[in-house]
Amino acid sequence: MGAIGKLTDCSDAQQNAEKGSLPASAFSFTGSPSAGLGARSPSSLCLKRLKPEPRCQCSSVLPYAPCISEPTGALGIVNSGLIPSLVWKLQREEEEIQVLLLDTLAACLTEDATEALASRAVPFLKEKLLSTNCDIRSKAARTLIAVSVPPEGKIQVWQHDVIPILVHLLKDRDEEVQANAAGALMNATVTTEGKYAALDAEATRPLLQLLTSSLSKARLNAIKALTMLAEAPEGRKLLQPHVATFRALEEDFSLAVQRAAQIAIRVIEWKP
């Protein structure tokens, strides 16, 4: 196994953090300089060479979680040019490390997905959607929610044929996977190409089934994805017989679900 980056205290980085050039939660990254870290600001990271860490110490190998608990921590990682390295490592680490990487990427890409999109994150995440590990499937779908917020992300999700896989995951045995797949579809179907790719993959039926999910976020994401599909004439026609289902959701205990259901009804019942 190659050396895995480890975060350690660095007086220079801490001093710069105190001056405001980095968030206080950002630490230094030590690891192989050949790992493709990308451009780094002088005030960001101290690089050292390390021997490979024992796998039993995996909890300390990639401790990005403390840094990303706050938006400034995630933004610090983005600004330090670490995203290409994290994407690269996603293909080479064991599953327990992949879970940590996906958690980190999901938080960071919410701040800025530009470097990830340039680093082929979408095809790599597509591969992780097919993992036998439900945690990896769920977190890969959650990361795709973040990466598909910008227009370029929506285009890449469609171009790399990720949408049919997301539709398949709507029927996954794990509810978190279902909810996150619906969330990724919600973003990907904003574009016309995304809408018709989802309709071609017959997304309406499994999305309608998610409207009775025990997870409120699954219901919410499914409603929003169906609303996107209803913007296409073909999708609107498919959903018109199910307006009563949406009306029942106007009484949901979640206010967000109630509001989303009301919007969905207006879109489904709209007539040109």
Side-chain angles (χ1 to χ4, degrees), residues 5 37 95 121 143 171-172 199 212-213 255 266 269:
L37 295 177
E95 288 187 346
T143 306
K171 298 172 281 190
D172 196 274
L199 288 169
T212 59
S213 172
L255 291 176
R266 289 200 296 270
E269 293 185 331

Side-chain angles (χ1 to χ4, degrees), residues 25 99 170 265:
S25 57
V99 169
L170 296 174
I265 291 169

Side-chain angles (χ1 to χ4, degrees), residues 20 57 79 113 115 129 142 144 158 185 200 216 221 237 244 251:
Q57 297 179 0
N79 290 340
E115 284 194 333
L129 292 176
R142 185 163 67 98
L144 278 166
W158 167 68
L185 281 171
D200 288 344
S216 60
N221 290 343
K237 182 178 180 180
E251 305 299 325

Side-chain angles (χ1 to χ4, degrees), residues 33-34 63 106 119 129 150 153-154 156 205-206 214 218 240:
S34 64
S119 302
L129 292 176
K154 293 175 174 63
Q156 288 197 24
R205 180 175 297 180
S214 62
Q240 283 171 350

